[in-house]
Each structure stands twice: as structure tokens, then as C-alpha cells.
Amino acid sequence: MKPNHSIHDDVAYQFFYRQKWPDGFLCPSCGHRQAYTIHSRVRSLPLYQCKLCRHQTTLTAGTILEGSRTSLFKWRKAIELVSTKASVNAVQLAALIHVTYKTSWKILNKIRHAISDLDNERRMAGYVTGGVVFYGRPPYVYFRTKREHPLWVSCAQERQVRRDHSFEDNCGLYVKIKCLTDKDLDGQKLTYSGEKKLFEEHLESHALGSTLNRVEFRRDPFLHPIYCEAKNWINDTFKGIGRTYQQHYWDEYCFRLNYMHSDTPLIHILTSICMKNISYFILNAHVSS
Ligand SMILES: [Zn+2]
């Protein structure tokens, strides 16, 4: 560490190191466990050179933190805040970690991208129920409007079809909220090809998917409350959002919902995702399917 680094940065460095390399250094090129550590005046982070293949890497190489001029301490704080139920918006984060709005927005955007990548890798198993809803539609309006955004809200009950009984509490449920395009819809209904595309992208091949009609969706004890809570969080925290980045906000909400009952604290899971060390709990999530 450079001499002008604070003790907070050293603690944060150790924190990120443990999430990226829980069993000690691992060469990303050849898998060797030992490296020389090279400190430099020009670089803020030490360089590791693999003792076997000489590949050089740093703690943040290949992660969303790579190339960032924001300190690790501030990154850790941002990840910690996104791991809380209320999460944080860019204005709040900028004030809390003393960075510009632009930097704060970029940090949050990168964290959300990492979450979306994780969710796109994760397919749902078991019984999957989904329904269509229109975000941004005024109350008591029953026809399509210009400013609304169609969504597919889905929930997998994975416990029922898994033979392993290790899942407890809420761990057998997995929720996804995905933005739809007009091509996926015929009026207010999902088309056959729209449904097929969603199932192919988000369900495992042996999963059983079904789509509820609008009345069934509103009466569903899981899906409708999940959607309402997600929508309220987005409206309260961000005062509504446009189409471009909307998917990442729904993914962020679902991420907390899906992993909050995990044995591993949410901040550790999120840090692992940001450090690209996602294999261990992706594998765990699929272990009994
Ligand atoms: Zn190597």
C-alpha cells in the first residue's frame, strides 16, 4: 500500500482480498497458488506475479473496480449500502462517501451490472409462475398507455422438486422481474413466442413454467405483493426510472430478496459478485437440482 493510504483502505483491501481469494492467491491464468508481491510508487495497489507462469495481476483486475480512482474504502461502503434493504440512490451515496454525483452514479451502475450478470446466469428450477404487469400505469386504467413499461414478474418454487432437503425458510424461492418489449405482447397478453423466449432464457430445461392471466396475477399471494414492494422501493428511492437502465433496478431488488435468507451475509455475496468470484454460491444454488 502507498504510504498515503489510510488504515481504512488497508482494512478494505483485506476485505476485498478475502472475498476474491478466500483460500489465498489464485493465479487467474494457470491456477497456481503462489505469487511475488510487487509494490510500486506509481500504482496504488500491489501487483502479484505468479511464481509459475509469471502472469501479473492485481486485486481489482477483471472486476468492476478495475481502473477506478475511488478508494477501496468507498467502494466497500457503496457495496455495504446496496446490501441493505433500503439500498441507496446516487445522490445519497455521493453525500455519504464524498464523491461527485457522476462517480457515485457510475459506482452504483457497475454494482447493478454485476448483479444483472449474476441473475442472467441463474436459471430457475422447479415450478415457475409468472405474470405480466405494466409499471407506470396510472391506477384504475385498464388499457395500454404510452408511458408504461411491461414487465414479467416470476417466482420459482424450487424446494418442491429438489430431493435434497438442505433448503430452509425462503431459500427455495427465486424471483425474477424482467422487462418485456412490445414484441413479447399481444395487447396485454404475453404471446406464445414471448413466453417461449422468457422460459428459454430464465428457466432450466426441466422446470415447469406457467403464466397467470391478469386476474390470477392480482390474486396471487406471492407475485403481486412482490411486484408492489419492488415498485414502491423503486419509486421511493429513485422517484421513478426510465427504460434504459430499468432492468438493473429490478434485478437489484430481486437480488436482495433472493439472497437475504442465505447463510452468507448479503454484503459478502455482493462483494464476491463484484470481485467476480461468483462460482461458489452459483454452484451452491444448483447443488441439489
Ligand atoms: Zn500463473
Side-chain angles (χ1 to χ4, degrees):
M1 295 258 101
K2 274 205 297 193
N4 59 353
H5 268 249
S6 73
I7 182 80
H8 292 307
D9 287 326
D10 290 347
V11 172
Y13 191 91
Q14 294 307 322
F15 176 76
F16 282 110
Y17 190 99
R18 281 195 302 275
Q19 298 307 320
K20 177 163 181 168
W21 292 313
D23 304 313
F25 175 82
L26 182 73
C27 173
S29 182
C30 75
H32 193 63
R33 286 268 171 210
Q34 288 177 321
Y36 300 105
T37 308
I38 305 161
H39 292 275
S40 141
R41 272 167 200 268
V42 287
R43 231 186 324 269
S44 60
L45 299 177
L47 197 65
Y48 300 104
Q49 180 172 316
C50 175
K51 285 188 180 177
L52 194 67
C53 76
R54 299 172 142 204
H55 178 81
Q56 292 188 333
T57 190
T58 64
L59 179 65
T60 59
T63 75
I64 59 165
L65 284 76
E66 186 172 14
S68 170
R69 277 178 291 177
T70 307
S71 74
L72 293 180
F73 172 69
K74 291 179 179 183
W75 269 100
R76 187 190 189 282
K77 189 75 194 159
I79 292 170
E80 189 182 323
L81 288 161
V82 175
S83 306
T84 62
K85 193 164 186 261
S87 191
V88 68
N89 65 35
V91 175
Q92 293 163 334
L93 182 66
L96 286 164
I97 65 172
H98 310 291
V99 295
T100 63
Y101 173 80
K102 201 175 153 193
T103 300
S104 145
W105 190 91
K106 271 191 194 166
I107 290 174
L108 289 174
N109 191 40
K110 283 182 179 177
I111 295 174
R112 285 191 199 106
H113 264 276
I115 290 174
S116 292
D117 284 351
L118 173 80
D119 186 67
N120 289 333
E121 296 269 315
R122 172 71 158 86
R123 285 167 193 241
M124 298 191 284
Y127 297 105
V128 182
T129 319
V132 176
V133 73
F134 297 90
Y135 172 65
R137 179 180 287 186
Y140 308 111
V141 172
Y142 300 101
F143 46 84
R144 295 292 314 266
T145 65
K146 274 189 180 165
R147 296 187 59 187
E148 68 193 13
H149 307 275
L151 301 170
W152 182 65
V153 182
S154 62
C155 178
Q157 295 182 53
E158 304 191 316
R159 191 189 310 179
Q160 297 174 21
V161 288
R162 287 185 166 170
R163 267 166 274 152
D164 184 315
H165 297 288
S166 59
F167 286 104
E168 286 165 18
D169 299 328
N170 220 3
C171 293
L173 300 176
Y174 193 90
V175 172
K176 280 181 189 254
I177 301 178
K178 294 292 165 190
C179 296
L180 299 172
T181 63
D182 286 335
K183 267 198 234 160
D184 304 321
L185 296 168
D186 176 15
Q188 311 204 38
K189 276 189 195 158
L190 207 53
T191 60
Y192 173 74
S193 61
E195 185 185 63
K196 191 165 173 268
K197 191 183 87 183
L198 286 166
F199 286 2
E200 277 172 4
E201 280 175 13
H202 302 292
L203 269 60
E204 286 188 0
S205 55
H206 61 267
L208 297 168
S210 66
T211 301
L212 302 177
N213 68 34
R214 307 219 351 110
V215 176
E216 288 167 337
F217 180 84
R218 284 196 76 86
R219 288 182 185 155
D220 191 89
F222 277 127
L223 292 178
H224 195 251
I226 284 169
Y227 166 66
C228 290
E229 280 193 29
K231 177 183 72 173
N232 290 342
W233 169 71
I234 281 185
N235 290 346
D236 292 348
T237 313
F238 308 101
K239 315 293 170 222
I241 37 175
R243 198 178 294 269
T244 319
Y245 297 100
Q246 201 181 113
Q247 184 60 65
H248 300 304
Y249 293 79
W250 298 114
D251 288 341
E252 186 198 323
Y253 184 84
C254 293
F255 164 76
R256 279 190 294 271
L257 197 64
N258 288 328
Y259 291 99
M260 69 183 174
H261 293 291
S262 162
D263 291 337
T264 312
L266 212 51
I267 180 176
H268 289 192
I269 296 178
L270 187 53
T271 311
S272 304
I273 296 168
C274 294
M275 299 312 283
K276 287 266 179 181
N277 177 26
I278 59 173
S279 54
Y280 84 93
F281 60 90
I282 288 241
L283 288 174
N284 284 348
H286 284 81
V287 77
S288 56
S289 60

